[in-house]
Every structure is written in structure tokens, then in C-alpha cells.
């Protein structure tokens, strides 16, 4: 059962999260607030102390987080065009930088030290680690899809991976098909997940989109 009375509107391109707080509080990413009722107050603080804040900076997240509390309507949205999804956390969830939007106050926000697979896969050395029990809201570039594995395997492009639940095994690989496929397919490294759990993916790759835009910027400068 969810903790909040909420709805997600205007999916999947311009999603807006509306939460009706009833003498409740929620933690949100700084800059995510679109509007809020006068009965809601906000405190900006370093959740988890200085060490926790420094860890979030390593992941690429903001040093501070906002705590919204009171009674009224709160509207939150990500910084980029895309979707929002709700996940009822009861355990541990790992997400990429920029995917975290908001969560229940009791959800612990930490970082997970990755390995060389994650560096060369484009995810970076650290992931944001969300742990505990409560509501989590994630955002994506493009639409957000949830893949549920039941002792199965799936291959995900590294640039489309948003996050995954604890317990899934993964390995970093080059796309199959030989040298020609590797060079000319347009696909790079991929993650092969195995086991039982959930994987969140975004339908657009922000790095590929950046390269797409750069072609037009270069043409304009010529």
C-alpha cells in the first residue's frame, strides 16, 4: 500500500507528479518543485550528513535535498523531457545519476561502489543506493518501462538503463554478431541481467541524443 495520495499526469513526455500531502512529508530533488499549496513548507538540508552529501555528489546528484511537509498539493517534475514512475520500495534499489526524483523520508539514500564493468559501461563508478521501505519516484529521459524477470535473462543498452533491484546478477558485454556488427550496428556495450527482479529502462538515450544535436550545432557553426 502506498503512503501517498498521488497521480502522474502528462506521461510519457512531460510527466508531472502531483502529491496530496495530508500532514505528511516527502523528500525531493532540489529544483524539482513546480508548484505547491500555501500550506506546505520546505526545508533544504544535507540528508545523511556531510558524508552522505559528498557521496551524492560523487554520483552526480545535488549536495542538498528538499523536505516538503504539511497539508496540500505538491507538484514535482524532472529537469528533462520524460516520464515518471512509482516504485514501492521494500529492500534495495540501485539507480543511475539523474533518475531520482523523490522518496519517503524513511528511505535511506546512499551510494554503491561499482566496479570496472560500470566504468566502461558508461554508468560511472558509483550508483545511487535507495534502501528501506517506502515510496520512490524515478524519472527517465523518454518513456520509462519496467521489465520483470523471473529467473530469466535480458540484454539492455547501457545508455537506456535507469536502475535495477538488488539480487539481479549482471555482466557487461559487447553486442554479439562479430566485428562488423560491433563497428557498424550503432550499438556499444550492453548489460546482460540474470535472475529475478525488476529493471527500469528509458526509451531514449541522452548521450545518443546529445550526439544527434551536436551534428546540427556543428553544421550551424560552419
Amino acid at each position: 500500500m502506498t503512503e501517498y495520495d498521488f497521480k502522474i499526469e502528462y506521461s510519457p513526455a512531460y510527466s508531472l507528479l502531483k502529491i496530496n500531502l495530508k500532514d505528511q512529508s516527502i523528500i525531493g530533488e532540489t529544483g524539482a518543485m513546480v508548484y505547491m499549496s500555501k500550506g506546505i513548507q520546505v526545508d533544504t538540508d544535507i540528508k545523511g550528513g556531510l558524508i552522505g552529501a559528498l557521496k551524492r555528489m560523487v554520483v552526480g546528484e545535488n549536495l542538498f535535498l528538499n523536505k516538503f511537509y504539511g497539508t496540500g498539493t505538491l507538484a514535482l517534475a524532472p529537469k528533462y523531457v520524460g516520464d515518471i514512475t512509482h516504485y514501492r520500495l521494500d529492500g534495495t534499489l540501485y539507480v543511475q545519476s539523474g533518475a531520482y526524483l523523490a522518496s519517503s523520508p524513511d528511505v535511506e539514500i546512499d551510494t554503491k561502489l561499482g566496479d570496472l564493468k560500470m566504468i566502461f559501461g558508461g554508468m560511472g563508478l558509483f550508483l545511487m543506493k535507495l534502501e528501506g521501505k517506502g515510496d520512490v519516484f524515478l524519472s527517465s529521459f523518454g518513456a520509462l518501462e519496467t521489465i520483470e524477470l523471473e529467473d530469466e535473462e535480458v540484454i539492455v543498452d547501457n545508455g537506456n538503463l535507469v536502475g535495477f533491484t538488488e539480487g539481479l546478477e549482471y555482466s557487461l558485454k559487447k553486442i554479439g554478431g562479430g566485428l562488423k556488427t560491433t563497428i557498424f550496428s550503432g550499438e556499444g556495450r550492453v548489460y546482460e541481467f540474470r535472475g529475478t527482479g525488476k529493471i527500469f529502462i528509458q526509451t531514449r538515450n541522452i548521450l545518443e541524443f546529445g550526439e544527434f544535436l551536436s551534428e546540427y550545432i556543428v553544421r550551424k557553426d560552419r
Side-chain angles (χ1 to χ4, degrees), residues 55-71:
K55 286 182 178 180
R56 287 198 301 276
M57 288 184 64
V58 171
V59 181
E61 298 291 338
N62 291 320
L63 179 66
F64 296 92
L65 290 170
N66 287 330
K67 178 181 179 182
F68 300 92
Y69 60 97
T71 299

Side-chain angles (χ1 to χ4, degrees), residues 20 26 33 36 40 50 58 63 78 81 97 107 111 120 123 129 139 143-144 147 167 172 180 189 196 199 209 219:
N20 295 315
I26 188 170
M33 193 274 291
M36 63 183 184
I40 296 177
L50 181 59
V58 171
L63 179 66
V81 175
S97 173
V107 172
T111 58
F120 296 115
M123 293 179 67
K129 179 181 180 182
S139 61
L144 200 154
I147 300 176
L172 180 67
K180 183 176 67 173
R189 294 180 178 271
T196 299
I199 302 171
F209 183 64
R219 291 175 188 175

Side-chain angles (χ1 to χ4, degrees), residues 211-222:
E211 292 181 7
F212 170 76
L213 290 180
S214 67
E215 295 180 8
Y216 291 91
I217 294 175
V218 171
R219 291 175 188 175
K220 185 177 179 180
D221 290 340
R222 288 176 179 174

Side-chain angles (χ1 to χ4, degrees), residues 26-50:
I26 188 170
I27 306 299
E29 186 66 277
T30 55
M33 193 274 291
V34 178
Y35 68 86
M36 63 183 184
S37 301
K38 194 172 182 180
I40 296 177
Q41 301 183 59
V42 56
D43 284 337
T44 304
D45 202 354
I46 303 177
K47 185 175 175 60
L50 181 59

Side-chain angles (χ1 to χ4, degrees), residues 114 140 207:
S140 65
L207 296 178

